[in-house]
Amino acid sequence: ESLCRRSSREYCSLNSGESMAVRCQFENSNDVGVFSVLTNRYCLAAVGGSENFYSVFEAELADHIPVIHTSIAGCRIVGRLCVGNKNGLLLPNSTSDQEMLHIRNALPD
């Protein structure tokens, strides 16, 4: 096991392999699941967060899956407004056409 500190982010390697846990905040909120959605195929992260919030996702995930910066229905609570897995993503009817197009274009095939 190893633990290293990089600026205000903490990375905790659970095993020597791929498993890991990462700490982050969205602005002053610890409810990161409200502002993001993570599957094994893609990550949605709310727009309007600090660069530190995005950098956690980008640093650990961008080489493996797309990290999509988006809003849903004009809101930043993307984790509360949608549900998804490796097979797809379910969005509310209030999602704008522009948001839907942006997300569709960024999702993997």
Side-chain angles (χ1 to χ4, degrees):
E1 295 185 13
S2 67
L3 178 69
C4 67
R5 187 163 178 88
R6 297 180 189 167
S7 67
S8 61
R9 299 172 294 195
E10 284 189 24
Y11 296 83
C12 175
S13 179
L14 302 177
N15 300 314
S16 298
E18 294 290 320
S19 299
M20 68 178 348
V22 180
R23 293 181 184 171
C24 65
Q25 284 186 323
F26 185 88
E27 295 178 352
N28 289 324
S29 175
N30 288 316
D31 299 323
V32 295
V34 171
F35 302 101
S36 61
V37 174
L38 178 62
T39 74
N40 58 349
R41 297 280 312 268
Y42 57 86
C43 174
L44 300 182
V47 296
S50 68
E51 197 56 42
N52 185 45
F53 180 72
Y54 298 126
S55 66
V56 169
F57 291 108
E58 297 284 347
E60 300 302 323
L61 301 174
D63 291 340
H64 308 286
I65 61 174
V67 177
I68 305 163
H69 301 222
T70 190
S71 61
I72 296 176
C75 299
R76 299 186 302 174
I77 55 171
V78 298
R80 299 286 293 174
L81 295 175
C82 68
V83 62
N85 61 25
K86 67 180 180 177
N87 298 312
L89 178 65
L90 190 60
L91 297 166
N93 194 41
S94 55
T95 305
S96 73
D97 292 340
Q98 183 179 3
E99 291 165 336
M100 179 76 98
L101 185 61
H102 170 65
I103 293 168
R104 276 189 179 163
N105 288 338
L107 286 176
D109 294 328

